[in-house]
Amino acid sequence: MQVKHPSYSVPNLPWEERPAGSSDVVWRYSANPIIPRDLLPTSNSIFNSAAVPFNGKFAGVFRADNKKRDMNINRGFSDDGFNWRLDPQPIEWLYDDPENAFTYYRYDPRVAWIEDRYWVMWCNGYHGPTIGIGYTYDFEKFHFLENALLPFNRNGVPFPRKINGKYVMFSRPSDNGHTPFGDIYLSQSPDMVHWGEHRFVMGTKGGWQSTKIGAGPVPIETPEGWLLFYHGVLTSCNGFVYSWSAALLDLEKPWKVIYRAAPYLLSPQTYYECVGDVPNVAFPCAALYDEPTGRIAVYYGGADTVTALAFCRVNEVLDWLKENSEL
Amino acid sequence: MQVKHPSYSVPNLPWEERPAGSSDVVWRYSANPIIPRDLLPTSNSIFNSAAVPFNGKFAGVFRADNKKRDMNINRGFSDDGFNWRLDPQPIEWLYDDPENAFTYYRYDPRVAWIEDRYWVMWCNGYHGPTIGIGYTYDFEKFHFLENALLPFNRNGVPFPRKINGKYVMFSRPSDNGHTPFGDIYLSQSPDMVHWGEHRFVMGTKGGWQSTKIGAGPVPIETPEGWLLFYHGVLTSCNGFVYSWSAALLDLEKPWKVIYRAAPYLLSPQTYYECVGDVPNVAFPCAALYDEPTGRIAVYYGGADTVTALAFCRVNEVLDWLKENSEL
Amino acid sequence: MQVKHPSYSVPNLPWEERPAGSSDVVWRYSANPIIPRDLLPTSNSIFNSAAVPFNGKFAGVFRADNKKRDMNINRGFSDDGFNWRLDPQPIEWLYDDPENAFTYYRYDPRVAWIEDRYWVMWCNGYHGPTIGIGYTYDFEKFHFLENALLPFNRNGVPFPRKINGKYVMFSRPSDNGHTPFGDIYLSQSPDMVHWGEHRFVMGTKGGWQSTKIGAGPVPIETPEGWLLFYHGVLTSCNGFVYSWSAALLDLEKPWKVIYRAAPYLLSPQTYYECVGDVPNVAFPCAALYDEPTGRIAVYYGGADTVTALAFCRVNEVLDWLKENSEL
Amino acid sequence: MQVKHPSYSVPNLPWEERPAGSSDVVWRYSANPIIPRDLLPTSNSIFNSAAVPFNGKFAGVFRADNKKRDMNINRGFSDDGFNWRLDPQPIEWLYDDPENAFTYYRYDPRVAWIEDRYWVMWCNGYHGPTIGIGYTYDFEKFHFLENALLPFNRNGVPFPRKINGKYVMFSRPSDNGHTPFGDIYLSQSPDMVHWGEHRFVMGTKGGWQSTKIGAGPVPIETPEGWLLFYHGVLTSCNGFVYSWSAALLDLEKPWKVIYRAAPYLLSPQTYYECVGDVPNVAFPCAALYDEPTGRIAVYYGGADTVTALAFCRVNEVLDWLKENSEL
Amino acid sequence: MQVKHPSYSVPNLPWEERPAGSSDVVWRYSANPIIPRDLLPTSNSIFNSAAVPFNGKFAGVFRADNKKRDMNINRGFSDDGFNWRLDPQPIEWLYDDPENAFTYYRYDPRVAWIEDRYWVMWCNGYHGPTIGIGYTYDFEKFHFLENALLPFNRNGVPFPRKINGKYVMFSRPSDNGHTPFGDIYLSQSPDMVHWGEHRFVMGTKGGWQSTKIGAGPVPIETPEGWLLFYHGVLTSCNGFVYSWSAALLDLEKPWKVIYRAAPYLLSPQTYYECVGDVPNVAFPCAALYDEPTGRIAVYYGGADTVTALAFCRVNEVLDWLKENSEL
Amino acid sequence: MQVKHPSYSVPNLPWEERPAGSSDVVWRYSANPIIPRDLLPTSNSIFNSAAVPFNGKFAGVFRADNKKRDMNINRGFSDDGFNWRLDPQPIEWLYDDPENAFTYYRYDPRVAWIEDRYWVMWCNGYHGPTIGIGYTYDFEKFHFLENALLPFNRNGVPFPRKINGKYVMFSRPSDNGHTPFGDIYLSQSPDMVHWGEHRFVMGTKGGWQSTKIGAGPVPIETPEGWLLFYHGVLTSCNGFVYSWSAALLDLEKPWKVIYRAAPYLLSPQTYYECVGDVPNVAFPCAALYDEPTGRIAVYYGGADTVTALAFCRVNEVLDWLKENSEL
C-alpha cells in the first residue's frame, strides 16, 4: 500500500477500540480528558490542540490559556500520543521584520507537514483576529511570517500539500466579537505570504450547524477526496453549542463539496464537554491518520477547558458520510 | 366518586411516594431521567413529551430531535408509564389538502382526549413557529388539520373538554427567535379550525417568571377550577432558566385567574436539569391524573435533553397554591 | 359596463391628471399634503387614513395622534375627497361585552364596504398590537367586535367581498416592537369573529422591500385578479424607508400571487415624505376606484405626519406590473 | 503584636490547611459548599454572603433568594464559621423616614465593623440598583439610612475605618440590566449620608477581568496597603465567567493602586462553581482575617447558588501579588 | 409686586407676541434660529444653550461643538437676548486640584444665579458622562469644583436657591451610550461638593415622553410651585424624537409632583428642528422670566444644530398645565 | 513643472471659485447637486461616483441604484465634468472564468489610471461585501478579475501607481451589516490578484470619525506625501453621520501617517446632504487634480441619493492639514 503523505504512516497512533455494543462511527477515549486544565501550574485550560507525528513519536502545538486568561500557544511532546509534556512557556517566534511581529493573542493552532517543514497556523490578534502563519523544522525554532489575511478571520487550516502548485488554506471570515455567522472559504498562495483566488467552500445549514461552521483538523487525503472534519454551531437560548462532523471535498478543486454530513458525528454530551469555561463545546483541531490501518485519532477541545481524544476508521467515516450526506 | 373526565381514572398511574423527611409539594422520581437522550440510535435528545392513558396502558407523543438537530415528534407506548418504547420514525401525518401540509419542524407536543379522539397540538414550523393541530383515534393513523393560528406562536395547549360549546386552547404569542417575552392567552373555536374570542389570561411577574411564561400540560379540571401547571423563565446573565409552578383558573371563564403561585414548584437543580443541550431547563408537557386517589404524575423535559417525572397530589397542590398565591 | 362592487363607481373621485412630460405610472397630487398635521387643534399628526365613498360624497377613518402622542382613530367627511373635516374626538365604540373593550391605542385603519355595512380594521393595542374589527352603517354609530387575531399583528386589511362564502383579510404577524421582519398572510372566517385557514401570501424580497412588507389599501377586484398596493421597508444605516408598489393576486385563491412588482411605484422623495416625525415614509391605506374610467386615487401617509394623495389608472398599473414583475 | 483593627484578631477563624502537594496561593475548603441552596425550607439559593466575628463567635448577613426568586438578605449565626443557622425571615429594617424605605430587592451584602457598630452595605432596588447602607449594634436591630448613591450602582463595599476623617467606600457604577461594563470607584463621606470626592480606582483589563470588575470583601489593612479581593468578569460566547483575585491599594490614598494581580486567584472550576442557577460564578463577599497568624478565610458564592469557603495566608498573597502584578 | 429671585426682573427680556390667530400656549420666535450653526468659524453647531440676565444685559454658556465634533462649552454675551457674540474659545476652568480637572468633553450647560454668583452645571466627561459643577462671578473667571456625582449621569440642573438650607439639583442617571431610558431625580448638598438625600421625582410616561425624560431650564419659582420645563423622548422606528413640556413641583419638597402635562408644549415640526445633525430634536436649556409681566423666553436647541427661542406667559402655562395634567 | 501622474494635468477640470467672504478650505459647488436622483428614468438614486479624465474630456463609473433598490454601477461621460450622460444599463463585465463572476450587488466604485489602463474597484457582493477589481482601456469593454480580498470588506481604493514594485490598495475590513466599526488598512500585490503584506494605516478617533472611517478618492501624490480624502462616521442617537476630511501619508511607506486632520473638511449641512434616502451623508469617491494650478474637484454623494461637487486647492489643504493635524 502506497502512503499518500509522509504523515499518513503512524503505526503507533494512539488508539482504543470501539466499545462493545456500540455502533457509533466515532467513539470517545474511555480515559478522557487526556490533558487536564491544570497540566501546567500556570494554565487555566489546555484545549483546541494540534498534534502531529514527529521523529517516530509525537509533537504538537497547544492552546494553553494562562490564569490571566491570556490566550497563547505552547509546544508539547509525547511518546504515545496520550500522555503529553508541555513547554510551560509559550512559543517564542523569530521574525524577519519586527515591525510586523506584535500580537495581542494567539489561539486555536493547526499544524501540517508540507514538503520540508511543519507549518503552523492559528488565530492571531492583530487589530482584531486574523490568521497567523509560521513554521518550524524541529519544534525548537519557530519562524513567523506576516499575517496571511486581513482581520477579521478565524480557523485558518492548511492543506497538507500544494495543489496545482499553490499552497491552500481554509479560513472563516468573521467579525471582532463572538461572531454569530461564519462560512468556510479557501484561499491560495504561491509563497505562503500573498493570498488570493479565494473560494467559497460551504456555508451554514440547519440544526447543529445553523449558526456558523469552521474547518477543524488539517484535511486528510483519500482516493475519493479530501476528508474534512469541521465544527458547527447551533444557538440555543442559552448560547452556542459546538458539535463536529465530516465532509468530503474534490481532490483537485477542493472548494467543490462531494459529500457533507447532515448529522453530527460528536456533540457535547459528557461532563468534560458540557461543563467548563464554555459549556457545550466539542472542537476538533487535529487528526492523526494511519493509512495502512485506516485508523484516525481526533484531538478535540472539551468545554474550551480540556483536551480529549476520539477515534474512528476512515472507511467507516466515508461510508457513513455517503449515507448521511445532504448538500 | 364521579370522575370528571374519562382520562381522570388512571389507577396504574406511575407513582413513587414522597421521600421520607421531605415536605416538598412536588418531588422528583428517584430514578430520573426516565428516558435518556439516546433511547433511539438516531436521537440527540428526547424531552418535552406528552403522555396519556391509552387502552389501560399508556401512549404518547414525544419530541425527539435527531443528530442533525432536526426537531420532530414521534409516538411511543408504555405499559407502566415509566419505561417507554418509541417509534424510531417521526409521525407521518395524513392531510386533506397536501398544499397546507408542509412543515419545517415540529416540537413540544401536547395530547388531550376530547369527546371521541386524541387531539395533538404542537409548535409547527410554517414561515415561523405556530400551533399545529391534529388528531388520532388509535395512535396508528394521525390526521393533520390546518395551523390554528398565524405565526408566531408557541405552547399551544388544549383544554380536555369544550367549554360553553367551544373548543378552547392556550397559546403564547411569540416572535421568530429565542423570544424574550411571552404571556399566556386563550382562544376559542367552534370547529378546531377557525379561532377567535381571544382572551389574555396572565402575563409575566417577578422572579422565576419574569421573562416569559407558557402553559404546560393540558389543564386538570377540579371542583374549584382548572389546575394549570405552567413554566416561567428568568433571564440570568448567563441565559434563560426555566422553572414551573401552578395556577387555578375559573371553570366557566378560564381566562379568569383565581390563584397563581408566587414561588416555583420545581426549578432546575439536578444534574439532568442543569447540564445538557440547554442548561437549566425544567419544562412540563403532560400530567396524568387519577381523580380517585388525587395522584398526579408530571412529565417534564430536563435541560432540553432528557425526560423526567415528578409527582404530587392534587389537594396538596391546591392547598399550597392558596397559601402562596399572588395575583 | 358592469361595476363589480358598489364602491367601484365613484365619478366624483378626487383626480388630477399626470403632469405634462411625466411618464410615471403613479403621480403625486400637486397640492400635497391634503391634510396638514395640525388640522385639529389637538393633533400632532394625521396620516395613514382610510377614505371611502359615502352617500355620494366621502367619509373616512383617520389616524390622528394627539399632542400626547397617543394614537387613535377619528372619523371624517369630505365633499370632494380633497378637503376633509375631522371629528376632533376619537371614535367611541359600542360594545356587546365591555370586558373585551379596553384598548391601549388604535392606529392605521382600513375601511371596506362589504354586503351591508362599512367594516373597519385597525391595529388595536391589546397586550400588544393586534387586529381590531368593527363596523358602522352610517359613520355615526361604530360597533366593535372582539380582536380578530392574537397579538402580535399589524396591517389587517379586509377584502371588499366574501370569497367562497368566507370573509378574508390580510395581516402581518409581528412582534411587540419596531418589528424588523414581516410578511403578508391571509386568514378566512365564516363570521368575522373566528378566523382560520391561514395562508402565506408573500414575503420580503430584495431592495426596497427587504425588511418587511404589509398590505396597504383594501384590494381592488379586476377581471385579472385582485390588485393589491402594499408597502415595503428597506433598512438603511439610518433607519427604515417605507415605499409602496403593487401585486396581482388570484381571484379565487387570493394567496396565489400572479404578478408582483420588483421596483417600487412611489418612494419617499418629497419634503413631506422625507421630513417629519418619522423621516422617509410613504404608507398607503386607502384607494378609491372608479371602474368606468379606471381612475384610482391612493391616500397615503407622509413621514408619519401628514396625509397625501397620488393618482394612477388601473390599466396602466396592470400593464406596468406585468412588465416589471418578479415572483 | 499589635492588631490593627478589632476584627483582625480571630483565633477561631475557620481554617483548613493547604492540601498536600498543592502550591496554590488560595485553596478551597474540602467540604464545600458550606451552605447548601436549601438550608432554609423556602430558599432557592444562599450565596454572596458576608460573615464577621461577633462576640467570640460569628454572625453574618446572607443573600437568600426565595423560591419566587425574590432577592433579599437575612442574618445568620455560627459558632465555628463553617456551620450556619439562618433566620428564615429577611432582616426587617428600622427607618427614620418611612418615605425613603421602600425597596424592590436587596442583594450581595457586605458587613464591616467601624468604630462602634457593624455597618451593612448591599445592592438596593430603588428605581434601579444602587447602594443601601444600614447598621446594627447587635444583629438584632438593624437601622437603614438613605441610599448612598444614585442609581445605577452595585458592589458597594465599605472600608473598615475612616481615612483622613472620612468614611470611604468602593462602588461600581452600572446600568439597569446585566451590565456588560463596570470599573471600581471610591467615594468619601463625612457622615455616611452625603458622598463626594469620587475617585476612579481601577478599570477592566484583559482576560478574566475584561468585561467588568467589582470590589469583593471589605479590604484588609496591612502595613503595605489595603489588600482588596475583587471579582472580574470575562464574556465567553456562552455568557459571563466570574473569577476573583487581589490588588493592593495605598493606605492614605486608597484610589492609588500599588499592585494588581494579572492572573486570577480562583476561577470557577468545581461542580458547585460551574453548575447552578448561574453557571461559572465564584463571587467573594467576605474575608475573615486573623492578623497574628496571617490566616484569611474568604466566603464566596458558587454559581449564584451556594456558599463556599477558600483559604490563604496574607503574606503569601502579598508575595504572589508582587510577583504577578500588572498595573 | 415683590420679585422672588434677583433674576426674575428682566424688563428687557427678548419677546415677540403670539401670532395673530394662534391659540398655542407656547409659540416660536418668527426669526428662528437665533444662533446659526456657523456663528463661529470653527463651530459645527451651537445649541442647548443657557442664557441669564447679566448686568442689565445678557450672558450665557453655550454648547459649541467644533468641526472635530468635540463637545465643549463657551461663554457668550448679548445686549438684547436675540443677537449673541460668542467667545470663540471654550471656557478655561480654574481648579484647586489639577488631579481632578481632566475632562473628555462638556455639553448641555445650565446656569443659575444662586446667592452670590452664577453656578454652571453641565454634562462632564469623566470615565463616562456625569455632572460637572463650576461657578463664575463675572463671566471672566470660571472655577471648577469636582464632579458632583458618579458616572453615568446627564442633565444636571440646579435650583435657583437653597431649599431648607441645602443646594438642590435635578439629574438623570444614565449609562454610557445613547441611553434608552431615563427618569428625573433630585439630590441635595450642604456645600455643592457632597451630594445625598437623593429623591426620585418623576419617570417616563406614554407617548412623547415614553423613552426618557430630563429636566430642562433652571426651574422657575411661582407661588404655586416650581415650574419645570422638561424634555421627553419617544422612540420611532427611525430614532429618538425630543419634545418638551412642563410640570409643577412642590415648593418645599420639590420631588413632589403637583401637575404634569400629558401633551407636549412644543415638538420638532419646523425645518430647523427636523433637519440637522440629529433630526427631530427640540431641547430646552434656559428660560428667562420677568415676574412683573409673566413673560418667559425659552432657549432651546434645534436638531442638535442651532439655537432657537420660544415664548409663553407664566399664568397661561399654569392654567394649561392644570387642565392637561396627568400624574 | 513636471506633472507626476498622467491624470494630474486636467486644465478643463470643473471649477468654481471660493465664494466671496468665505474662508473655507473646501467649498461646495453653487449649483449642487450636479446629478439628480432621477437622471435615468429607472434610477432611484445616483451617488458615490468615480470620475476621471478621459480623452480630454471625462468618463466615470457611477453607483446607480434602480427602483428595486438594487445596487449596481454604470459608466458615464461628460464634456465638462459638470453635466453627465449615464448609460442606462449597468456595466457588463467580461470574465476569464465565469465561475467566479457571480455578484449579488456592486456599489461605491473608485477608478484610477495605473500604467496602461483604468482600474476599477468597488464593493462587490460575494457571500458578503468584499472588494471587486476590474479594468478597462476605453470605457467600452470592462474586464473583471477575481475578488481581491475575503469578505467582509468595503471601500477598496487603489493607489494611482505601484510603490516599490507592487500595487497597493486601501480597504476597510467590515462585517456583513451596517457595520458599526471600521479602520483603514492597506494591502500590497505583485499582480492585482494575490494580496498580502497588510498594514494597519489608521483607525477611528473622536468626534466625527468615532464610529468608522474609510478611504475616499484615489489618493493624490504630492511632494510631501499621499494626500488622502477619507470619510468618517459619527453615531448620533438617530443614526450615522458621514463627514469627510484629509490625511497625508508617507510616499514610500504609505501606511505611515504624517498628518491627519482632527476637524472635518465637509459635513452634511445642506438640504441635499441632510434629506434623502439616508439622511446626513457626505461621501467622497473621486477627486480630479490639476497639478499645474493645484485645483482639486471632489465628487461626493449626498444623502446616498444625489451626486455633488466640492472644490479646494492642494496647497491650502496641505497647509490646513498641518495646522489641524492630530495623530
Side-chain angles (χ1 to χ4, degrees), chain F residues 44-107:
Chain F
N44 170 74
S45 45
I46 303 173
F47 60 109
N48 300 357
S49 304
V52 286
F54 176 66
N55 287 345
K57 298 182 176 176
F58 302 93
V61 178
F62 296 78
R63 174 169 173 181
D65 297 359
N66 67 15
K67 287 179 179 172
K68 298 180 195 175
R69 300 290 302 262
D70 290 336
M71 301 178 283
N72 215 330
I73 54 178
N74 299 29
R75 63 182 182 149
F77 301 94
S78 173
D79 295 343
D80 57 8
F82 290 109
N83 298 286
W84 289 85
R85 306 175 302 280
L86 258 68
D87 187 340
Q89 297 308 317
I91 293 167
E92 291 190 24
W93 293 90
L94 305 173
Y95 302 99
D96 288 341
D97 180 355
E99 186 179 353
N100 302 321
F102 90 95
T103 299
Y104 294 111
Y105 49 78
R106 297 181 189 86
Y107 62 81

Side-chain angles (χ1 to χ4, degrees), chain F residues 295-310:
Chain F
R295 288 173 171 174
I296 300 175
V298 179
Y299 290 81
Y300 68 100
D304 273 17
T305 305
V306 296
T307 304
L309 260 178

Side-chain angles (χ1 to χ4, degrees), chain D residues 18-281:
Chain D
R18 189 187 344 250
S22 165
S23 60
D24 290 340
V25 174
V26 165
W27 59 97
R28 292 170 178 85
Y29 178 47
S30 61
N32 269 345
I34 59 165
I35 306 180
R37 65 187 308 165
D38 56 355
L39 182 70
L40 298 176
T42 57
S43 62
N44 170 74
S45 46
I46 302 173
F47 60 109
N48 300 356
S49 304
V52 286
F54 176 67
N55 287 346
K57 297 182 176 177
F58 301 93
V61 179
F62 296 78
R63 174 169 174 182
D65 296 0
N66 67 13
K67 288 180 179 171
K68 296 181 197 176
R69 302 289 303 262
D70 289 338
M71 301 178 284
N72 214 331
I73 54 179
N74 298 30
R75 62 181 183 151
F77 300 94
S78 173
D79 295 342
D80 57 7
F82 289 110
N83 298 287
W84 288 86
R85 305 175 303 280
L86 258 68
D87 187 339
Q89 297 308 317
I91 294 167
E92 290 189 26
W93 293 90
L94 305 172
Y95 302 100
D96 289 340
D97 180 354
E99 185 178 353
N100 303 320
F102 90 94
T103 299
Y104 294 112
Y105 48 78
R106 298 181 188 86
Y107 62 81
D108 294 358
R110 274 77 165 188
V111 180
W113 172 270
I114 312 176
E115 294 177 336
D116 62 347
R117 72 192 83 174
Y118 292 96
W119 288 92
V120 188
M121 287 191 183
W122 65 91
C123 183
N124 199 38
Y126 172 79
H127 303 282
T130 186
I131 307 304
I133 298 187
Y135 61 87
T136 182
Y137 291 98
D138 51 11
F139 282 88
E140 296 297 329
K141 288 192 178 169
F142 289 80
H143 303 263
F144 179 59
L145 302 185
E146 284 207 50
N147 291 305
L149 300 168
L150 283 174
F152 303 96
N153 209 308
R154 289 182 173 94
N155 291 299
V157 179
F159 278 68
R161 66 167 174 84
K162 285 185 176 175
I163 300 175
N164 300 319
K166 301 234 177 92
Y167 295 101
V168 183
M169 78 160 149
F170 296 114
S171 75
R172 185 181 75 194
S174 301
D175 66 12
N176 59 356
H178 294 301
T179 318
F181 59 87
D183 301 331
I184 299 177
Y185 291 75
L186 167 160
S187 302
Q188 306 178 55
S189 171
D191 55 9
M192 278 278 187
V193 173
H194 301 91
W195 292 85
E197 296 162 301
H198 312 294
R199 297 289 190 283
F200 177 82
V201 180
M202 60 187 193
T204 56
K205 284 177 69 85
W208 66 274
Q209 52 186 323
S210 52
T211 296
K212 53 182 171 178
I213 59 173
V218 173
I220 293 172
E221 187 169 7
T222 78
E224 300 184 62
W226 294 101
L227 175 60
L228 172 67
F229 295 110
Y230 69 101
H231 67 262
V233 178
L234 173 152
T235 304
S236 87
C237 64
N238 279 0
F240 288 167
V241 179
Y242 283 77
S243 308
W244 54 274
S245 197
L248 196 74
L249 310 178
D250 186 82
L251 284 177
E252 289 308 299
K253 297 187 172 180
W255 58 91
K256 304 282 192 192
V257 182
I258 303 171
Y259 299 114
R260 177 180 180 181
Y264 58 75
L265 277 168
L266 188 149
S267 86
Q269 303 199 0
T270 65
Y271 184 89
Y272 57 86
E273 294 157 352
C274 291
V275 176
D277 280 346
V278 184
N280 289 339
V281 177

